[in-house]
Amino acid sequence: MGTAGESGQILTNRNQQSVTACLLLSIFGATCGALSFGYNTGVINAPQSVIEKFINETQMLRTGSWMQDQTISLLLAITVAIFAVGGMLGGFSAGWWANRFGRRGGMLLNNVFGITAALLMGLSKTANSFEMIIIGRLIVGFCCGIFTGLTPMYLSEVAPNRLRGALGTVNQLGVVIGILISQVLGINEAFGNEKYWSLLLGLSGVPCVLMLISLPFCPESPRYLLITKQLEKEARSALERLRGTTDVQDELEEMQNEAKAEQSEAKVSIIGLLKTTHLRWPLAIAVVMQLSQQLSGINAVFYYSTTIFGNAGLAQSVAAYSSIGVGSVMVVMTLITIPLMDRAGRRTLHLLGLGGMFVFCVLLTLSLCLTFLVPWFKYTTVVCALLYVVFFALGPGSIPWMITAELFSQGPRPAAMSIAVLVNWSCNFLVGLLFPVMLSGLGDYCFIPFIVLLALFWLFTYFKVPETKNKSFEEISNIFRKGSTSKSNEVMPAVVYSDGTAIVEENDLADKL
């Protein structure tokens, strides 16, 4: 029997695979789904006033009378928020979709919805139908809901352990690049004007086209092929393409060990996930992590930054360019975070991100409140918003998606992702729908609820969230197995490394983690 040190060396050697062209293409193809999500999140921000005018003019053309301002505001709020309704439906379906069509196959099929939605929104002006925008936003929301479940799942399953954190951040990089592109194209001088706004919405189909071009040349997730479909030959072939070598036996054996562990358990559905004792706590962590992302107030900035900056006293054109600054900062900070993810760790970065957001959310509120006394404070509003976004990108932007995929083994992962995505999109919907009401009712104090929530999320992360950096899926799973079985005095099996030679007792594993 080998020693734990020898097995650790085996794991180290196993993770030294180079980044291959096939892996890079797989990353690019999958990240197009994140790009679509980001673009459709930000695209509705800048042209809101133009869309409101289109709604009113359409009503006049149909009925001969103008629409009341309250009705226009309600229709715009529905147009913004219906995207998240579709996301909830798509996100809840993501687990079933991933198991039914595969990770890669599911993403490819999902592009049908994205392209259909792009056509509806792009032709809405020609058809004089604001209803086509709303229906298109619902369908593209469903499409993005599927992507938010499948993209991080695929990336985590094709990545070597040493790159899993970095690739989890690449998912967020795709989101923020999509947001930035939508903000740049949404300025009045580009497509955010009365002539081209419908084309701006229709361009949401471009990431889907890019995915259809690139992803067919990429392999299916090896873990899905081996563990879910029991196709060992195909899984080996996929691994060899991704790693650029035929020496994939160690990684294949790790998957086989995970498959054997899964066979001893009943297939995990969403109901089964809720009923399984040792899965409840990681599920609770996954849910709270999603809440910490969406209820941090970040979507209030993404959806309504132009309005917020305008209310602070900035000219409309300056407010629009300030929103581009928000998107640019997100991209730069996400790039900086990629090498940090597997060095500093998920928990540390999430705590730092939430803490920084709390501080600058307080300062943003003070700046908004004091602008009438000190006019130049309107510029500090922009600075505080930018720094607020910096800390979001540092942790809460990418870690909730990444850690949700890491907390669960292959069997319960799709069900867990479905629940997490549903929670995420539900909060997305609530923020998109209710923030205009908060902005109207609370005025300059509209960020105070987010300040309170950020403090609570920081405390939860500090006391309850484990570090998952450089841990295998099986090691992470055993953290929670140990906690649940120790209460019932059950004996858990030891952890077997991928070579099958080194065994670590659970109490030793707990010390390591």
Side-chain angles (χ1 to χ4, degrees):
M1 180 177 292
T3 65
E6 290 170 349
S7 293
Q9 183 64 42
I10 290 171
L11 287 177
T12 300
N13 293 339
R14 184 195 66 199
N15 286 329
Q16 296 304 314
Q17 300 97 340
S18 60
V19 177
T20 64
C22 182
L23 180 60
L24 287 175
L25 185 62
S26 299
I27 293 168
F28 172 78
T31 306
C32 287
L35 187 71
S36 177
F37 174 38
Y39 186 89
N40 286 286
T41 296
V43 73
I44 204 69
N45 189 343
Q48 287 184 15
S49 59
V50 179
I51 293 174
E52 284 181 326
K53 184 177 179 181
F54 169 71
I55 292 172
N56 203 8
E57 290 176 347
T58 301
Q59 177 71 7
M60 181 65 181
L61 186 65
R62 291 176 179 177
T63 66
S65 61
W66 299 108
M67 191 176 290
Q68 294 183 355
D69 290 343
Q70 290 180 339
T71 306
I72 296 174
S73 298
L74 176 61
L75 286 172
L76 181 64
I78 291 173
T79 302
V80 172
I82 201 73
F83 173 67
V85 174
M88 284 187 278
L89 296 174
F92 193 69
S93 307
W96 173 85
W97 196 274
N99 284 335
R100 176 66 178 83
F101 302 109
R103 282 51 162 161
R104 187 198 67 151
M107 287 188 288
L108 284 171
L109 182 60
N110 190 38
N111 288 299
V112 172
F113 297 106
I115 293 173
T116 299
L119 290 173
L120 282 170
M121 293 185 291
L123 296 173
S124 59
K125 180 181 177 183
T126 303
N128 288 316
S129 172
F130 58 80
E131 294 88 353
M132 288 174 64
I133 305 175
I134 296 174
I135 295 171
R137 290 277 292 174
L138 176 65
I139 295 174
V140 82
F142 179 86
C143 172
C144 291
I146 295 287
F147 281 141
T148 52
L150 267 63
T151 299
M153 195 185 305
Y154 181 77
L155 290 174
S156 69
E157 291 179 5
V158 301
N161 281 349
R162 69 181 180 91
L163 296 178
R164 209 171 61 227
L167 292 191
T169 308
V170 167
N171 176 61
Q172 178 64 13
L173 179 63
V175 174
V176 298
I177 289 176
I179 292 172
L180 177 60
I181 291 173
S182 72
Q183 291 169 334
V184 171
L185 296 181
I187 62 174
N188 188 67
E189 292 79 4
F191 297 102
N193 50 53
E194 293 185 27
K195 186 175 182 180
Y196 295 116
W197 65 264
S198 60
L199 177 59
L200 177 69
L201 299 182
L203 288 174
S204 64
V206 172
C208 297
V209 174
L210 291 176
M211 182 180 286
L212 287 173
I213 293 172
S214 59
L215 212 54
F217 300 98
C218 304
E220 180 57 88
S221 159
R223 304 188 88 89
Y224 169 76
L225 292 171
L226 180 63
I227 300 174
T228 303
K229 304 299 287 185
Q230 291 85 48
L231 299 173
E232 182 176 343
K233 181 179 178 181
E234 288 80 355
R236 177 183 289 276
S237 176
L239 264 180
E240 290 175 354
R241 289 181 62 194
L242 288 166
R243 305 293 179 253
T245 177
T246 57
D247 184 17
V248 296
Q249 187 60 35
D250 290 331
E251 196 168 356
L252 199 65
E253 286 179 3
E254 179 192 340
M255 295 181 193
Q256 289 169 338
N257 290 337
E258 186 178 341
K260 291 176 183 177
E262 294 298 330
Q263 289 172 3
S264 65
E265 299 177 351
K267 186 176 180 180
V268 182
S269 62
I270 291 177
I271 300 300
L273 178 63
L274 297 172
K275 290 181 177 180
T276 305
T277 303
H278 72 269
L279 295 178
R280 289 175 186 164
W281 189 238
L283 180 62
I285 292 174
V287 166
V288 175
M289 294 292 279
Q290 298 296 332
L291 293 174
S292 72
Q293 183 188 81
Q294 290 298 318
L295 298 184
S296 65
I298 192 65
N299 273 343
V301 175
F302 286 153
Y303 287 149
Y304 299 105
S305 58
T306 303
T307 301
I308 293 168
F309 295 148
N311 289 350
L314 294 173
Q316 187 69 22
S317 59
V318 176
Y321 283 107
S322 298
S323 295
I324 293 175
V326 169
S328 301
V329 167
M330 276 288 292
V331 172
V332 172
M333 281 306 303
T334 304
L335 285 169
I336 292 173
T337 304
I338 290 176
L340 293 177
M341 197 60 64
D342 287 310
R343 296 178 184 178
R346 285 59 148 160
R347 180 178 178 274
T348 301
L349 289 177
H350 199 66
L351 285 170
L352 185 59
L354 289 174
M357 291 181 75
F358 174 84
V359 170
F360 286 104
C361 201
V362 171
L363 294 177
L364 177 61
T365 300
L366 291 175
S367 178
L368 288 170
C369 293
L370 297 177
T371 297
F372 76 98
L373 292 175
V374 186
W376 60 267
F377 266 23
K378 61 188 176 184
Y379 299 107
T380 67
T381 300
V382 177
V383 173
C384 289
L386 291 175
L387 291 172
Y388 173 79
V389 168
V390 163
F391 282 95
F392 175 79
L394 192 62
S398 58
I399 290 174
W401 293 117
M402 184 193 316
I403 204 169
T404 299
E406 290 181 331
L407 287 174
F408 298 90
S409 57
Q410 187 78 8
R413 189 178 299 131
M417 289 298 291
S418 290
I419 293 176
V421 171
L422 176 64
V423 170
N424 188 283
W425 280 96
S426 298
C427 295
N428 188 324
F429 170 74
L430 290 175
V431 171
L433 187 64
L434 297 180
F435 187 74
V437 179
M438 294 168 58
L439 190 60
S440 175
L442 298 177
D444 295 335
Y445 300 96
C446 58
F447 281 92
I448 286 181
F450 300 125
I451 293 172
V452 175
L453 289 169
L454 283 167
L456 295 175
F457 293 137
W458 190 94
L459 291 172
F460 180 89
T461 303
Y462 182 82
F463 288 107
K464 299 298 183 182
V465 177
E467 181 56 72
T468 60
K469 180 184 70 171
N470 295 333
K471 305 294 187 296
S472 71
F473 291 117
E474 187 64 21
E475 287 175 327
I476 296 167
S477 178
N478 270 277
I479 298 175
F480 301 103
R481 288 180 181 274
K482 179 180 181 297
S484 64
T485 55
S486 62
K487 295 178 182 178
S488 59
N489 295 319
E490 295 178 9
V491 178
M492 286 302 300
V495 176
V496 182
Y497 284 104
S498 59
D499 66 340
T501 60
I503 300 177
V504 179
E505 300 297 334
E506 273 209 353
N507 55 352
D508 294 334
L509 178 62
D511 291 338
K512 288 185 178 183
L513 300 180

